[in-house]
Amino acid sequence: MSRIITFIGKAGIGQTTSAIATAKLFSQQGKQVLYVTHNPNFNAESLLQTPLTHIPQVVATNLQAVQLQATTMLDQSWEEAKKILSLYIPLPEKEEIYSGELILLPGFDSLLSFNAMRQYYQSGEYDIIIYDGRGDLETLRMLGIPGMLNWYFQRFGKALEGFNIQKIADSIGGPIASAFISANVDTEKLQQSLEKIRSWIAEGMAVVGDTNKLTTYLVTSSEPGAIAETKWLWGSAQQISLKINGVLAYQCQETDVITLEQTFAPLSVSPIPAIKEHDWHPLLNALPDFHDNHRSPLPLKIDRETRQLFVFLPGFTKKQVKLTQYGKEITVEAGEQRRNIALPPDLQKLSIKAGKFEEPYLIIAFE
Amino acid sequence: MSRIITFIGKAGIGQTTSAIATAKLFSQQGKQVLYVTHNPNFNAESLLQTPLTHIPQVVATNLQAVQLQATTMLDQSWEEAKKILSLYIPLPEKEEIYSGELILLPGFDSLLSFNAMRQYYQSGEYDIIIYDGRGDLETLRMLGIPGMLNWYFQRFGKALEGFNIQKIADSIGGPIASAFISANVDTEKLQQSLEKIRSWIAEGMAVVGDTNKLTTYLVTSSEPGAIAETKWLWGSAQQISLKINGVLAYQCQETDVITLEQTFAPLSVSPIPAIKEHDWHPLLNALPDFHDNHRSPLPLKIDRETRQLFVFLPGFTKKQVKLTQYGKEITVEAGEQRRNIALPPDLQKLSIKAGKFEEPYLIIAFE
């Protein structure tokens, strides 16, 4: 089983150094490691002392590296997408769209990177995959894709679940139904594809929700702006149910580490030195125990006795958190993100008595 | 007429400082200035010595500031989108989707920010709008939205141009046509909306293509990784036809400035000091003449006599540039981006004789 390790924090502060140190550590332990980063990352090329390529290549014993390139990934995904589409829609021969013509839209980098990571993870070729992405809100949106798709499926999936063209035609009749039938959409194939997507979503959510499958560390320096942004990202990570294992304090003094331990309590803080003269030993020795996750609080806790829901939201103030109830779910807005939380059946019938923010928890009490 | 000024470069290196200095400079000259940034940007709040809000507020004489928030923008855009949709599609009352339920997808930050910037620009309330975004590839994708939409319209717009439901029904007949008619789509309203979108696209392209409307500076330090990434972004900016006015060298020594002048020739390089004890005067005095754009090379030049096309692509090597011809247009791939260049009529009939890369130009010769 593969394991993904990634890093979150303000850009330009030790993330790539930490990621490469971690990759070196596991590869030296005999694990098959893949280091994944984006274009451009000149720092990674300089630290690995080799130019990076768009398909994984060996850069050291047990260590492969790849630099994801949006245009290359788009070509590959377009071929896949065409195959799936051609099952349902007769693609016009003449007006064929060449993937080379497609322009990259905002957000495509994340969607394509997510798909590439899914493929590396499912390939089973690597014990450890180090993802050195941007480590910011966009990375959290990317890691939130399975949860987001799951919600859309639950919210609008009812219509798809029993999707049977013949049935719809029989019951509704009329020209729209006839049009669908004459388009020759194969119900069974459609259901199979939906099933495949559903299992991807379920697996994706299982990965994001399990710190043994996706291990995430915060990286910060002692600079106040970096600390504030990293703490904000810690809170934002909870909005996609992403637990954080600990904090890496990059180039920090001992006194800084004490401050960071207070700021990020109850997480453990590991001081990481900068690299000097290509000597990685001090860094590798400073890395935390990646199997230790007992300190990371749960994003969500339910106390059935007192009928209270505890939403862990570190780094936010009362003013930055908004709570709304929509039928069987509640929506928590914080950190540029919305989280729709489906209530367990016993709480669904009850209405909210009170919602108060007692840092770091939003506590929702039911009648 | 509004004018937008923005900054591109590696994250965490002087962009916010340069942006706020520029905002201060123009507001002190009596211009109405709006400073726009994203959430989180703790550095901006610290430099402006005030918390930022999600709607523009006055932070100094002639200076307003706003911190774009994705969730707030989504609510506003959803209301707008519903209004437009309801013209064509009878929205189901019962199954109404509340904007509060919508989850933010990857790329939404860029799309929503682009829309907000469009509204601020068109409002006519500001002489100068300073956009302090991420300044990376995603910002370029965002600024590339008008060009991208324009291409999609040209490529697939033929089908929409003469879009007349009645005509299609008459000629094709059959159930699909009847379905469209029974859905009561109003051809005239549809054409009006398309016309509105087309004029937005045209205006957007005019803004991105005119350095007097959108003025862009590169920001870098003397750190090799920062220089390499900034040069890469300079090349990538050409792929969306974005001219660069000059380079701001943040916290650089005199010798660094000479190196930067060689690296970024023919652009002018302005050394910008760091801020000390809230004294902005040295920074404001160091800022370049924002009206000077005579040094920025054209992204595209055509030499009709020799039948050659010069594509300006600084920062790339021969290996990183790919050229393909698709009928009446050529596609240039570089910097994680694709640019489709529609050939002028006299070159359309000719085939490509040679394409060679002579830094910083891709030179395409026609038969």
Side-chain angles (χ1 to χ4, degrees):
Chain A
M1 200 40 151
S2 283
R3 178 183 182 188
I4 300 169
I5 301 178
T6 195
F7 304 88
I8 302 286
K10 195 181 176 200
I13 297 166
Q15 280 181 51
T16 289
T17 308
S18 304
I20 290 175
T22 309
K24 282 179 181 280
L25 180 77
F26 281 101
S27 62
Q28 286 176 14
Q29 287 172 1
K31 304 276 186 196
Q32 286 301 318
V33 180
L34 176 66
Y35 168 80
V36 184
T37 190
H38 289 271
N39 195 6
N41 187 343
F42 295 99
N43 195 12
E45 292 187 312
S46 154
L47 289 170
L48 287 168
Q49 295 181 279
T50 179
L52 292 170
T53 51
H54 307 315
I55 51 167
Q57 69 167 0
V58 175
V59 295
T61 313
N62 301 327
L63 177 55
Q64 293 185 43
V66 63
Q67 186 168 43
L68 300 177
Q69 191 181 42
T71 43
T72 310
M73 293 190 289
L74 185 66
D75 289 349
Q76 291 163 350
S77 302
W78 179 240
E79 287 310 311
E80 267 183 70
K82 270 208 296 193
K83 259 186 232 158
I84 296 169
L85 281 174
S86 64
L87 290 174
Y88 312 112
I89 304 162
L91 291 174
E93 293 280 327
K94 241 178 149 184
E95 271 289 306
E96 178 151 32
I97 306 149
Y98 301 97
S99 73
E101 281 186 309
L102 292 175
I103 296 177
L104 285 144
L105 312 180
F108 268 39
D109 299 82
S110 288
L111 296 172
L112 293 167
S113 306
F114 179 82
N115 196 41
M117 285 297 292
R118 181 182 65 75
Q119 286 170 338
Y120 291 134
Y121 184 82
Q122 290 181 337
S123 77
E125 286 177 44
Y126 309 100
D127 302 314
I128 304 281
I129 301 171
I130 308 288
Y131 179 62
D132 181 20
R134 285 209 308 248
D136 61 1
L137 180 65
E138 188 66 19
T139 299
L140 294 179
R141 294 226 197 283
M142 180 189 126
L143 295 174
I145 289 173
M148 177 267 289
L149 288 175
N150 181 55
W151 180 81
Y152 274 104
F153 259 85
Q154 288 190 336
R155 180 74 174 81
F156 304 107
K158 283 268 154 61
L160 295 169
E161 225 159 71
F163 203 69
N164 184 316
I165 304 293
Q166 201 57 51
K167 260 195 196 163
I168 293 168
D170 288 350
S171 63
I172 309 172
I176 291 178
S178 329
F180 262 97
I181 289 168
S182 65
N184 200 19
V185 177
D186 186 323
T187 306
E188 205 178 313
K189 272 186 204 158
L190 188 66
Q191 288 303 337
Q192 281 169 4
S193 293
L194 285 175
E195 219 32 73
K196 203 173 167 188
I197 294 170
R198 268 208 201 89
S199 81
W200 283 350
I201 293 172
E203 189 176 355
M205 285 184 68
V207 170
V208 175
D210 183 345
T211 54
N212 293 312
K213 289 176 176 159
L214 174 63
T215 308
T216 313
Y217 280 81
L218 301 173
V219 185
T220 186
S221 70
S222 61
E223 194 246 311
I227 296 173
E229 188 165 330
T230 307
K231 193 162 183 195
W232 187 90
L233 288 165
W234 184 25
S236 296
Q238 308 311 309
Q239 286 283 70
I240 59 157
S241 301
L242 180 68
K243 277 197 277 186
I244 301 294
N245 264 34
V247 182
L248 307 186
Y250 188 66
Q251 282 188 291
C252 285
Q253 309 293 323
E254 256 178 68
T255 49
D256 298 333
V257 174
I258 294 164
T259 313
L260 290 174
E261 278 173 339
Q262 289 163 350
T263 309
F264 292 98
L267 300 180
S268 62
V269 178
S270 311
I272 305 287
I275 181 156
K276 273 181 203 143
E277 290 161 13
H278 297 293
D279 179 13
W280 286 87
H281 286 101
L283 268 89
L284 267 55
N285 291 332
L287 288 172
D289 173 5
F290 287 95
H291 291 284
D292 178 9
N293 62 4
H294 74 277
R295 292 219 210 171
S296 49
L298 285 171
L300 203 68
K301 272 190 305 189
I302 298 172
D303 186 333
R304 288 221 143 72
E305 262 181 48
T306 60
R307 281 182 294 207
Q308 280 183 317
L309 199 69
F310 292 83
V311 187
F312 181 57
L313 289 170
F316 294 114
T317 59
K318 196 180 165 178
K319 265 179 73 182
Q320 291 169 321
V321 176
K322 214 174 107 184
L323 172 70
T324 331
Q325 186 172 21
Y326 293 101
K328 291 175 185 175
E329 55 182 33
I330 53 166
T331 301
V332 176
E333 199 174 307
E336 298 280 299
Q337 280 174 310
R338 291 226 175 88
R339 174 162 42 155
N340 298 314
I341 301 170
L343 294 172
D346 50 327
L347 292 182
Q348 275 178 18
K349 298 156 221 148
L350 310 174
S351 47
I352 293 173
K353 193 169 67 181
K356 58 180 172 180
F357 189 75
E358 280 178 18
E359 216 191 330
Y361 285 100
L362 169 67
I363 303 163
I364 304 161
F366 289 84
E367 289 284 354
Chain B
M1 199 39 151
S2 283
R3 179 184 182 187
I4 300 169
I5 302 178
T6 195
F7 304 89
I8 302 286
K10 196 182 176 197
I13 297 167
Q15 281 181 51
T16 290
T17 308
S18 304
I20 290 175
T22 308
K24 283 179 181 280
L25 180 77
F26 282 101
S27 61
Q28 286 177 13
Q29 288 173 1
K31 304 275 186 196
Q32 286 302 318
V33 180
L34 176 67
Y35 168 79
V36 184
T37 191
H38 290 271
N39 195 5
N41 188 343
F42 296 98
N43 196 11
E45 293 186 315
S46 153
L47 289 170
L48 287 167
Q49 295 180 277
T50 179
L52 292 170
T53 51
H54 307 315
I55 50 167
Q57 69 167 0
V58 175
V59 295
T61 313
N62 302 327
L63 177 55
Q64 293 185 44
V66 63
Q67 187 168 42
L68 300 178
Q69 190 181 45
T71 42
T72 310
M73 293 190 289
L74 185 66
D75 290 348
Q76 291 163 351
S77 302
W78 180 240
E79 287 309 312
E80 266 183 69
K82 271 208 296 194
K83 258 185 233 159
I84 296 170
L85 280 175
S86 65
L87 289 174
Y88 311 114
I89 304 163
L91 290 175
E93 293 281 327
K94 241 180 149 182
E95 271 289 304
E96 181 153 30
I97 307 150
Y98 300 97
S99 74
E101 282 186 308
L102 293 174
I103 296 178
L104 285 145
L105 311 181
F108 267 39
D109 299 81
S110 289
L111 295 172
L112 293 167
S113 306
F114 179 82
N115 196 41
M117 285 297 293
R118 182 182 65 75
Q119 287 170 338
Y120 291 134
Y121 184 82
Q122 290 182 337
S123 76
E125 286 177 44
Y126 310 100
D127 302 315
I128 305 280
I129 301 171
I130 308 289
Y131 179 62
D132 181 19
R134 286 209 308 248
D136 62 1
L137 180 64
E138 188 65 20
T139 299
L140 295 179
R141 295 229 197 281
M142 180 188 127
L143 295 173
I145 289 173
M148 177 267 289
L149 288 176
N150 182 55
W151 180 80
Y152 275 103
F153 258 88
Q154 288 190 336
R155 180 75 172 80
F156 303 107
K158 282 269 154 62
L160 295 169
E161 224 158 72
F163 203 70
N164 184 314
I165 305 291
Q166 202 56 51
K167 259 194 194 164
I168 294 168
D170 288 348
S171 62
I172 308 172
I176 292 178
S178 329
F180 262 97
I181 289 168
S182 65
N184 199 19
V185 177
D186 187 323
T187 306
E188 206 179 313
K189 273 187 205 157
L190 188 66
Q191 289 302 338
Q192 281 170 2
S193 294
L194 286 176
E195 219 32 73
K196 202 173 168 189
I197 294 171
R198 268 207 201 88
S199 81
W200 282 350
I201 293 172
E203 189 177 355
M205 285 184 69
V207 170
V208 174
D210 182 345
T211 55
N212 292 313
K213 289 177 176 158
L214 173 64
T215 308
T216 312
Y217 280 82
L218 300 174
V219 185
T220 186
S221 70
S222 61
E223 194 247 311
I227 296 172
E229 188 165 329
T230 307
K231 193 164 182 193
W232 187 90
L233 288 165
W234 183 24
S236 296
Q238 307 311 308
Q239 287 283 71
I240 59 159
S241 301
L242 179 68
K243 277 197 277 185
I244 302 293
N245 265 34
V247 182
L248 307 186
Y250 187 66
Q251 281 187 292
C252 285
Q253 309 294 322
E254 255 178 68
T255 50
D256 298 333
V257 174
I258 294 166
T259 313
L260 289 175
E261 279 174 338
Q262 288 163 349
T263 310
F264 292 98
L267 300 181
S268 62
V269 178
S270 311
I272 305 288
I275 181 156
K276 271 182 205 142
E277 291 161 16
H278 297 292
D279 178 14
W280 287 87
H281 285 101
L283 268 89
L284 266 54
N285 291 332
L287 288 173
D289 174 5
F290 288 94
H291 291 284
D292 178 9
N293 62 5
H294 74 278
R295 291 219 211 170
S296 49
L298 285 171
L300 203 68
K301 273 190 306 191
I302 298 171
D303 185 334
R304 288 220 144 71
E305 261 180 50
T306 61
R307 281 181 295 206
Q308 280 183 315
L309 199 69
F310 292 83
V311 187
F312 180 57
L313 289 169
F316 294 113
T317 60
K318 195 179 166 180
K319 265 179 73 183
Q320 292 169 321
V321 176
K322 215 173 108 184
L323 172 70
T324 331
Q325 186 172 20
Y326 294 100
K328 290 174 184 174
E329 56 182 32
I330 53 166
T331 300
V332 176
E333 198 175 308
E336 298 280 296
Q337 281 175 309
R338 291 227 175 87
R339 173 163 45 155
N340 298 313
I341 301 170
L343 295 171
D346 50 328
L347 292 182
Q348 275 177 18
K349 299 156 221 149
L350 310 174
S351 47
I352 294 173
K353 193 169 68 182
K356 59 178 172 181
F357 189 76
E358 278 178 19
E359 215 194 329
Y361 284 100
L362 168 67
I363 304 163
I364 304 161
F366 290 84
E367 288 282 355

